[in-house]
């Protein structure tokens, strides 16, 4: 009975979170088959993994912004919240896309396995979000390198998770990397648009107050 209750009511924070992150980053070829065999739901993937790791970058950005105090507390907090939400949305859309085009590459159509691939492949991006604490262009340069590793993670995961034939894994990976890049561009564009909009509103309000 105790085991059954434990399975039906899992802890909010997965005690194996650090091990999973380490496995994905350091030994993906070993970790993907383990992930493929695990029972999960789309909700559990986001609640117990994505929502935790995706917060790293926005929190680092907010802390950095509050320390520099260049844009005001409200703008910095809004930027963090918007970037957090859009990054989670991008991961979800990527999972939908993976599942939607799976049959075109001889792969299994399974939304949970697709979401596993999308969510866990985002791990290096989310973990390296801690670099947002560092001012300057270093995070952007490192993000490019992380993007290459992210593509490798997707390539390694297609076989175990989507049962993609070996001869179609590379093409499928290229397609997903392109979609991933477009989603990233949209997310960055939306974040910057929100940031600029509130900056303009703030400047307008200040000018009005002065007048």
């Amino acid at each position: 009975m105790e085991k059954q209750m434990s399975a039906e009511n899992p802890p909010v924070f997965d005690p194996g979170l650090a091990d999973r992150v380490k496995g994905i980053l350091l030994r993906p070829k070993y970790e993907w088959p383990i992930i493929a065999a695990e029972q999960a739901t789309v909700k559990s993937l986001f609640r117990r993994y994505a929502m935790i790791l995706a917060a790293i970058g926005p929190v680092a950005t907010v802390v950095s912004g509050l320390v520099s105090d260049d844009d005001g507390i409200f703008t910095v907090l809004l930027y963090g919240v918007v970037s957090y939400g859009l990054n989670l949305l991008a991961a979800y859309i990527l999972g939908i896309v993976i599942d939607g085009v799976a049959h075109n590459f001889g792969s299994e159509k399974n939304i949970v396995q697709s979401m596993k691939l999308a969510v866990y492949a985002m791990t290096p991006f989310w973990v390296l979000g801690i670099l947002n604490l560092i001012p300057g262009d270093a995070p952007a340069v490192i993000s490019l390198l992380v993007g290459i590793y992210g593509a490798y993670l997707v390539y390694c995961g297609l076989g175990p998770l989507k049962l993609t034939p070996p001869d179609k894994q590379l093409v499928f990976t290229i397609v997903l990397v392109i979609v991933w890049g477009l989603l990233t561009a949209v997310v960055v564009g939306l974040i910057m648009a929100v940031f600029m909009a509130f900056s303009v509103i703030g400047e307008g309000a200040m000018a009005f107050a002065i007048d």
Side-chain angles (χ1 to χ4, degrees):
M1 177 63 70
E2 183 178 351
K3 291 183 178 179
Q4 183 177 357
M5 291 180 63
S6 177
E8 292 176 352
N9 301 285
V12 175
F13 297 102
D14 187 350
L17 181 64
D19 290 336
R20 174 50 45 84
V21 170
K22 187 192 304 182
I24 282 292
L25 295 180
L26 302 180
R27 51 178 193 277
K29 288 186 177 180
Y30 172 80
E31 198 71 14
W32 279 128
I34 297 175
I35 292 171
E38 290 177 347
Q39 293 294 321
T41 63
V42 174
K43 181 179 179 180
S44 69
L45 287 170
F46 277 83
R47 183 172 63 89
R48 300 178 64 192
Y49 193 86
M51 292 179 68
I52 298 171
L53 292 188
I56 295 175
V59 169
T61 299
V62 169
V63 171
S64 178
L66 292 177
V67 170
S68 63
D69 197 26
D70 292 332
D71 302 305
I73 295 177
F74 178 76
T75 302
V76 171
L77 291 176
L78 178 67
Y79 184 92
V81 171
V82 171
S83 62
Y84 177 62
L86 288 176
N87 272 286
L88 288 174
L89 179 61
Y92 182 79
I93 293 175
L94 180 60
I96 295 294
V97 171
I98 291 172
D99 207 55
V101 302
H103 281 171
N104 296 327
F105 300 94
S107 305
E108 180 184 52
K109 187 175 177 65
N110 183 313
I111 188 61
V112 173
Q113 298 293 67
S114 297
M115 285 296 172
K116 285 180 182 179
L117 183 60
V119 166
Y120 289 121
M122 289 284 191
T123 300
F125 288 93
W126 289 336
V127 171
L128 267 294
I130 193 67
L131 295 179
N132 289 344
L133 289 170
I134 305 174
D137 298 327
V141 174
I142 294 176
S143 293
L144 177 61
L145 299 177
V146 172
I148 297 174
Y149 191 68
Y152 172 71
L153 289 180
V154 171
Y155 178 79
C156 292
L158 284 173
L161 288 167
K162 301 301 296 174
L163 305 181
T164 307
D167 61 323
K168 296 186 178 181
Q169 290 175 5
L170 179 59
V171 177
F172 199 177
T173 299
I174 292 173
V175 170
L176 294 179
V177 167
I178 292 173
V179 172
W180 197 342
L182 292 174
L183 284 173
T184 301
V186 170
V187 167
V188 171
L190 288 174
I191 292 173
M192 294 307 299
V194 171
F195 184 75
M196 292 299 296
F198 274 88
S199 295
V200 171
I201 292 174
E203 291 176 1
M206 185 177 296
F208 180 77
I210 293 175
D211 292 339

